[in-house]
Amino acid sequence: MESIAYVSRLNEFYRSQGFPPYRWTVNETAPLTRLAKPLNRCRIAMLTSGGVSRHDAPRFDPLARNDLRLDAIDADTSPHFFAISDSYYNHQDADRDINCIFPIERLRELASDGTIGEVAPHHYSGFMGRTYIRSAVVNEAAPRLAAQLRDESVDAFVLVPA
Amino acid sequence: MIVSTGRDLSAQVKPPRTVFVNFPMGNTFGKAFDASQQRAILRDVLAALESITAAGEIIDLAYKWHEEFGMNLGAGYQAKSD
């Protein structure tokens, strides 16, 4: 099947609710940094924005707006030690198996079989709120996260939006 | 590297690297407990770290979802429209 036209359908949804047109982020160019080493020597971390919290942390607000909370998640966390609180997508499968959106077990396996060098000490979960405060993300939250990744010598970062 | 289920959303943001999986949002890596497909998708995603050489490129993975699916806005959009 064709991929879903989220942009036009969300535009129509906002219009039907009487809201002004949503101002999407549209970038004409992108930066690209080549991997500095082969994949099988890289340290990899992941991020989910699917409202995923560890059981020893508060749940995310399922109706959050502008929530820039970002949890560091120990990479060896059990897949059964998570809760999902997010009212903006269907997470019935992910509730049963977190690997559907946050494949922490699969990444560990790919480290074990030598596909990647190693799993980073931490993954991340957050940025899940409907975020309308772009400058706070671009100028503050994202650089702070980038610095944390650098501190932990992460070579590549896999982001999984939800 | 972004693993996207919203191809048009990612195309306009233009991350450095995108891998698109035409699966429902919430099932980026497939179905619950289908470890072999989850692993295969993640393996493809990681391979794209090396194979993408043009900034902003999107790789479309060939996986097919087992049934038709739509945009699921979720209860949040109904509960609190903003």
Side-chain angles (χ1 to χ4, degrees):
Chain A
M1 61 179 274
E2 290 290 308
S3 58
I4 292 173
Y6 283 101
V7 173
S8 60
R9 292 182 66 171
L10 285 167
N11 282 341
E12 178 53 38
F13 175 76
Y14 288 131
R15 190 161 42 237
S16 74
Q17 300 291 305
F19 295 109
Y22 183 69
R23 290 186 301 138
W24 298 95
T25 294
V26 178
N27 294 317
E28 300 300 327
T29 60
L32 184 80
T33 306
R34 297 279 191 103
L35 288 186
K37 56 183 88 160
L39 182 61
N40 63 11
R41 286 173 44 212
C42 284
R43 173 181 280 201
I44 310 285
M46 297 190 296
L47 176 145
T48 172
S49 62
V52 176
S53 55
R54 278 171 48 112
H55 279 313
D56 56 0
R59 281 176 166 253
F60 280 90
D61 172 4
L63 298 173
R65 274 192 301 174
N66 296 327
D67 184 357
L68 299 183
R69 170 180 160 187
L70 189 66
D71 292 3
I73 305 281
D74 286 345
D76 59 0
T77 301
S78 161
H80 308 294
F81 198 61
F82 292 104
I84 303 177
S85 298
D86 191 320
S87 294
Y88 294 89
Y89 72 99
N90 181 342
H91 46 82
Q92 283 180 317
D93 275 5
D95 286 336
R96 297 188 297 138
D97 179 6
I98 195 70
N99 294 287
C100 292
I101 57 167
F102 194 40
I104 55 168
E105 283 184 290
R106 304 292 87 80
L107 190 66
R108 290 199 281 262
E109 291 160 6
L110 294 180
S112 294
D113 76 8
T115 301
I116 64 169
E118 59 183 342
V119 180
H122 295 103
H123 298 305
Y124 292 88
S125 175
F127 294 154
M128 62 82 71
R130 305 322 95 184
T131 303
Y132 307 107
I133 44 175
R134 228 161 307 203
S135 59
V137 174
V138 172
N139 300 326
E140 297 165 33
R144 198 158 49 234
L145 172 57
Q148 288 174 260
L149 295 171
R150 272 196 298 274
D151 284 348
E152 294 199 326
S153 303
V154 172
D155 297 302
F157 193 41
V158 176
L159 297 90
V160 188
Chain B
M1 162 68 71
I2 293 271
V3 192
S4 174
T5 54
R7 196 183 195 288
D8 59 342
L9 294 166
S10 298
Q12 64 181 7
V13 174
K14 212 183 263 302
R17 300 170 177 85
T18 300
V19 168
F20 172 64
V21 188
N22 198 11
F23 282 3
M25 199 172 284
N27 289 89
T28 309
F29 292 88
K31 288 182 279 187
F33 308 116
D34 186 349
S36 73
Q37 184 173 67
Q38 294 167 359
R39 194 181 309 110
I41 293 172
L42 184 59
R43 201 184 287 281
D44 290 346
V45 166
L46 295 166
L49 285 167
E50 290 184 316
S51 63
I52 290 179
T53 55
E57 187 177 339
I58 300 177
I59 288 185
D60 296 284
L61 298 187
Y63 299 93
K64 305 268 188 246
W65 192 245
H66 52 289
E67 58 200 15
E68 290 281 312
F69 62 91
M71 179 173 74
N72 184 346
L73 281 177
Y77 281 94
Q78 274 70 49
K80 185 166 147 188
S81 300
D82 56 2

